[in-house]
Amino acid sequence: MKQRTDNAFVLNLINEADSLALKNLKENYSVLLDSLLKKKSNLSNEELSKMSEKDQKDFDSLKVAIQNNYFLDLFKKMVDVNFDNELIKTNFEKAGLKNFEIVKPDYNLFQFTFIDYKNYLKAKNLFNENSISFHEALESEDLEKLKNCFLKENKKLVQENYLKDGKDNYILFYDNHPIAFQELYNSSKCFDFKKVIYLENIKNKDAVYTKIYLVKKSNKIEENLSKSLNGFDVDFKQNPNVYKENTFKISVYLDEIGKQNLKTFSTENIGKQIIISNKNQFILAPAISNSLNNGMFLFTGNLFDADWQDLLQIVTFQVFKNSVTIE
């Protein structure tokens, strides 16, 4: 809601509601927001006379919206539509959960029932771990050394064409090889496992090889970026006659702590690629051209070239996890 308005009164009211809600997590947010809206809409003539012309217009439009329950209805609808049972069900199934039940008694309340304690723990871990991770790219020299070491270490696989140098920032591993890449990675003597991890790019289901990216393990700032995601917006442009004009833009917003961490992270990586992943799955490798100071970053791409539905679901689920209180 904050991203869709420039009305100063609306922004201040939502910020105040957010602050009060954090002090009492059991408070019903919609009731809290409603009471604040009604309270703040009753200003005295003296207070109104001190306002600028713009502030008076903002206030007048706010008062009409409050009388029509516009903000309250909009808030409930946004929560209900974006965070539905299907979102939870899909992510539970991806995490290997079975025989669970999801009930949604209210727009902002979910109740989960699990067949056993094992599935309960899986769900608990799912809510605690990040869906989106940020990584710094390895320096070119370091990356080449690691790739060369790994290829030499697995010389037989290279000779049999199961393992290849991708001639870029990745290596290629044959999809149907009986040995999983995880086993090769775990047994390798090339990597410092505390500093380097690998990500798989499995977007192209028809490809014979999977792209394997070697990247730096996330540090505290990068881990906290994920925990700071608190909103998103989606925009599409379509033109059936021009392929390149079919695009998507997912805007992702961070809280105040995330805003500072994003500024630090982006400033340290100006002119470099960063890597964004979903657990050990590669998502994007955008280049940072300047410092990101506004607490927002973008995912962009072609509707036909990128799996934007999965990306949107990953973003949505991370925002959902950052927004819930679990009892």
Side-chain angles (χ1 to χ4, degrees):
M1 288 174 68
K2 287 191 285 188
Q3 314 306 332
R4 290 179 175 269
T5 181
D6 59 358
N7 188 309
F9 286 97
V10 175
L11 292 171
N12 289 336
L13 282 169
I14 295 175
N15 285 332
E16 186 174 348
D18 290 348
S19 178
L20 291 171
L22 287 173
K23 293 176 182 177
N24 184 4
L25 296 175
K26 293 186 178 181
E27 181 82 53
N28 187 310
Y29 187 87
S30 64
V31 174
L32 178 63
L33 181 61
D34 189 43
S35 64
L36 278 175
L37 286 168
K38 289 175 179 175
K39 179 182 177 182
K40 298 294 183 180
S41 66
N42 294 315
L43 296 182
S44 66
N45 290 330
E46 183 180 352
E47 289 173 304
L48 289 170
S49 66
K50 294 178 181 178
M51 290 183 182
S52 66
E53 186 176 345
K54 181 184 182 305
D55 286 346
Q56 286 185 16
K57 286 182 179 179
D58 283 350
F59 177 77
D60 289 341
S61 65
L62 173 66
K63 193 163 186 175
V64 171
I66 292 171
Q67 290 170 350
N68 294 325
N69 285 324
Y70 171 75
F71 291 113
L72 196 58
D73 291 343
L74 176 62
F75 171 75
K76 288 183 176 181
K77 185 176 180 180
M78 288 173 67
V79 173
D80 201 33
V81 169
N82 287 299
F83 307 131
D84 58 7
N85 285 21
E86 191 61 31
L87 173 73
I88 313 302
K89 179 176 179 288
T90 300
N91 281 278
F92 275 6
E93 289 175 345
K94 282 184 178 179
L97 274 78
K98 298 178 180 178
N99 298 320
F100 54 83
E101 182 181 1
I102 303 172
V103 178
K104 193 175 184 183
D106 203 351
Y107 78 98
N108 64 343
L109 177 64
F110 289 90
Q111 293 176 344
F112 309 127
T113 305
F114 305 99
I115 190 172
D116 54 29
Y117 189 66
K118 183 179 179 181
N119 277 274
Y120 161 77
L121 286 179
K122 280 185 179 180
K124 187 176 180 181
N125 290 335
L126 181 63
F127 278 102
N128 288 331
E129 66 188 12
N130 289 330
S131 295
I132 291 181
S133 298
F134 297 81
H135 310 272
E136 290 186 24
L138 292 164
E139 299 295 335
S140 298
E141 287 186 12
D142 294 335
L143 179 60
E144 285 305 310
K145 286 179 182 178
L146 289 175
K147 285 168 65 177
N148 290 335
C149 175
F150 188 71
L151 292 171
K152 287 179 181 178
E153 193 176 56
N154 295 279
K155 188 176 180 180
K156 186 177 180 182
L157 290 177
V158 174
Q159 291 171 344
E160 294 173 346
N161 221 27
Y162 290 124
L163 189 64
K164 294 182 178 184
D165 187 345
K167 303 301 180 185
D168 202 342
N169 56 348
Y170 57 83
I171 54 180
L172 295 167
F173 183 64
Y174 186 67
D175 282 348
N176 294 322
H177 195 276
I179 300 175
F181 186 84
Q182 178 78 51
E183 292 182 43
L184 299 177
Y185 173 78
N186 290 342
S187 62
S188 176
K189 299 188 184 303
C190 298
F191 308 118
D192 181 344
F193 299 119
K194 292 180 180 180
K195 296 180 180 180
V196 178
I197 65 167
Y198 77 90
L199 305 173
E200 296 179 335
N201 186 351
I202 55 174
K203 289 181 182 178
N204 188 350
K205 296 175 182 177
D206 298 322
V208 177
Y209 294 90
T210 294
K211 292 179 180 179
I212 306 292
Y213 292 82
L214 300 173
V215 301
K216 291 183 181 179
K217 190 174 183 180
S218 297
N219 59 28
K220 283 294 181 184
I221 285 181
E222 291 150 12
E223 288 176 1
N224 288 333
L225 278 177
S226 302
K227 293 179 172 62
S228 296
L229 271 63
N230 69 351
F232 63 92
D233 202 359
V234 189
D235 183 44
F236 302 103
K237 290 185 179 179
Q238 293 179 284
N239 185 341
N241 300 314
V242 182
Y243 179 81
K244 291 183 178 179
E245 293 182 8
N246 291 277
T247 59
F248 71 88
K249 180 174 73 173
I250 302 174
S251 305
V252 182
Y253 305 96
L254 290 84
D255 61 23
E256 286 303 312
I257 295 174
K259 183 177 180 179
Q260 293 303 314
N261 285 333
L262 182 62
K263 181 179 179 180
T264 301
F265 178 65
S266 59
T267 302
E268 291 175 352
N269 288 280
I270 291 176
K272 301 178 183 178
Q273 265 192 328
I274 63 166
I275 294 87
I276 300 172
S277 69
N278 169 222
K279 299 178 185 177
N280 72 325
Q281 303 297 319
F282 171 92
I283 300 177
L284 289 173
I288 301 294
S289 57
N290 56 279
S291 180
L292 303 175
N293 302 326
N294 61 353
M296 186 264 284
F297 61 86
L298 299 174
F299 291 124
T300 60
N302 190 285
L303 288 170
F304 301 110
D305 292 342
D307 198 352
W308 62 267
Q309 294 99 329
D310 276 357
L311 177 58
L312 178 58
Q313 187 184 83
I314 291 166
V315 169
T316 304
F317 192 55
Q318 184 67 55
V319 172
F320 172 76
K321 290 193 293 185
N322 291 346
S323 307
V324 297
T325 302
I326 299 176
E327 295 182 348

